[in-house]
Structure formats: structure tokens, C-alpha cells
Amino acid sequence: MERVRAKHWFISVVLLMGLTSCSTPFSNAHEDAGNRLPLNRIEELREEYPRSTGVPPTINMREVSFREMMDFGEAVIVAEVVSELPNFSVDLRAEPGTPEGDSAEKDRAAGIAPYKPEFIAYKVNVHQVLTGEDVKEDTFLFYNADFAGMEPELKPGMRIVTVVKKGTTGEQVGGYSFTRYGTYYIVDGDYVLSAYEGESEELREFTEQTNGIQVDSFIQKIKELAHS
């Protein structure tokens, strides 16, 4: 069973693996008084925009920085959530002679049903593409349902800044995966609040620099990262 769960992890968050950590210093202009939310307001907002936490107990994973997400994703977008969509599932490709095919064959021999991941999805309206490839105005975002309660739970009307990765299989096609590591909520009209704050020094430093700053300042940071 642990091997099957490990395979779930590989399929659902493969975009987070094999990346190299790096950090970039930023301008401190956004830290001027009046240009960011006070800490007490940030904590109040956490009632509606909670920190994404937790990891399934059988999964061994590491934190991924916003910069790493940008390096691997197709684009960074500003989007508004229109509605929740029905969950969907996909059949994984398992060609004979490939590692996936060999694993699927072993599962069949052991009487284990092929893994068919399910995904949570949201219809969104893309207001702006900040960096990367063009993303159509009306699209959908998704993540593996194995991480329900750990990834951001979006609601209609929410606005987010997020790194997206193009879907490649079955009903994923036409949409984009996203994750807490690359997501910020837009709150109080003109500020950003991270979906994930992190435990490593690198991630904590980044969220300390960005939590509560104005949207325009955060967009500038993203563009600096894209060109560094």
C-alpha cells in the first residue's frame, strides 16, 4: 500500500520534484509604512483565508519555493474564482516497457486496481498573465483530491495570484494545475496573503517579505524573479 501511495504522490505533484532551490533579494520599497497590512489584520483574514498545512502521513515531500514553482510552471496569473466544478478523474498512461507500464502490470498481478487519480477543480476568469505563456481568459484550475484539506479551498469571488502548470492528460487538458506553494490570495481589495507560509528559512523569509504587501508590489516582485 505504501508503494501505491508513493505513486499517487509522484503523479499528483511531479511538478514539485527535481528542482533546485534559489533565492533572490528584493527591493524593500513595499515595506514603507502604510503599504502593507498590519499583522493583526493578517491574522483576522486567516479566518477566511487559512494557511494551507499538512501532508499525508505516507508521503515524503519537501517544501518548494515560489521561485521554483515559477521555474517549472507555464505562467503566473491573476484570476478570479467563478465556481467550483465537479471533481474529475483521469486514466494514467501506462505504455508497456515504461516504468509506469511495469508498475501497472505489477499492480494487476497483485490484484490492485489501477490508480485513477481524482482532481478537485475550479472555473476561473483570468484577469492578467504576469509572466510566461498566454492563458485563455476562461479556464479551470485543479489539484489532486488526495490533497483535499491541504491545498487551498477556493470559493467563488476569491481572487488569487498563482503559478500554473498546463494539464496534459484526459480531462486535465485545457486547464492548469496549481498548488499552495505558488498561490497568494488577494485580500482587502489591494493586498496579498500567502496560501502557504513554510517552515524552511528560505520560505519563511519570502513570506515575511511578501505577506500583506500591495498587489502591485507583489507583481513587481514576480517580474523581478522572472528576469533574474
Side-chain angles (χ1 to χ4, degrees):
M1 182 59 71
E2 285 196 5
R3 184 174 63 81
V4 174
R5 286 183 177 274
K7 181 169 67 176
H8 293 195
W9 163 244
F10 177 79
I11 295 299
S12 62
V13 289
V14 64
L15 77 162
L16 305 182
M17 305 302 292
L19 302 172
T20 303
S21 297
C22 56
S23 60
T24 302
F26 298 112
S27 166
N28 291 325
H30 65 274
E31 295 180 354
D32 293 342
N35 287 347
R36 67 188 309 163
L37 292 171
L39 292 177
N40 63 336
R41 179 55 182 157
I42 288 175
E43 288 308 310
E44 289 174 356
L45 287 164
R46 284 303 183 188
E47 294 295 320
E48 185 177 357
Y49 303 92
R51 299 171 181 85
S52 296
T53 61
V55 179
T58 57
I59 291 176
N60 182 21
M61 61 179 288
R62 71 176 180 87
E63 294 184 316
V64 180
S65 71
F66 195 93
R67 171 58 183 270
E68 288 177 303
M69 294 303 306
M70 285 182 60
D71 287 345
F72 202 74
E74 258 86 44
V76 183
I77 64 172
V78 177
E80 181 173 349
V81 181
V82 177
S83 64
E84 296 181 42
L85 294 174
N87 290 9
F88 67 89
S89 57
V90 300
D91 291 307
L92 301 179
R93 297 173 183 172
E95 299 295 331
T98 65
E100 294 81 4
D102 292 343
S103 178
E105 183 59 37
K106 289 178 182 178
D107 285 348
R108 283 191 291 269
I112 301 172
Y115 176 51
K116 190 173 182 178
E118 185 177 347
F119 295 89
I120 293 170
Y122 303 93
K123 181 179 180 181
V124 300
N125 181 263
V126 177
H127 291 180
Q128 190 176 359
V129 178
L130 303 179
T131 65
E133 300 180 5
D134 288 339
V135 178
K136 63 183 181 181
E137 184 176 348
D138 295 313
T139 188
F140 65 94
L141 305 180
F142 63 87
Y143 57 78
N144 193 300
D146 288 350
F147 295 86
M150 302 171 203
E151 291 288 2
E153 183 179 345
L154 303 182
K155 300 184 186 306
M158 281 186 174
R159 291 187 299 147
I160 58 173
V161 179
T162 190
V163 182
V164 295
K165 178 71 175 174
K166 191 178 297 181
T168 59
T169 304
E171 292 188 44
Q172 293 180 354
V173 175
Y176 296 82
S177 64
F178 77 109
T179 177
R180 58 186 175 176
Y181 299 111
T183 300
Y184 276 68
Y185 303 105
I186 297 177
V187 299
D188 281 5
D190 193 34
Y191 300 89
V192 295
L193 185 62
S194 63
Y196 183 77
E197 293 191 350
E199 297 181 5
S200 70
E201 182 177 351
E202 178 188 4
L203 267 68
R204 283 194 174 277
E205 180 180 359
F206 186 82
T207 53
E208 285 173 4
Q209 292 175 347
T210 54
N211 253 346
I213 68 173
Q214 292 181 314
V215 176
D216 287 347
S217 296
F218 189 54
I219 288 173
Q220 183 177 347
K221 273 186 179 296
I222 290 170
K223 292 183 177 180
E224 289 173 3
L225 283 173
H227 293 95
S228 62

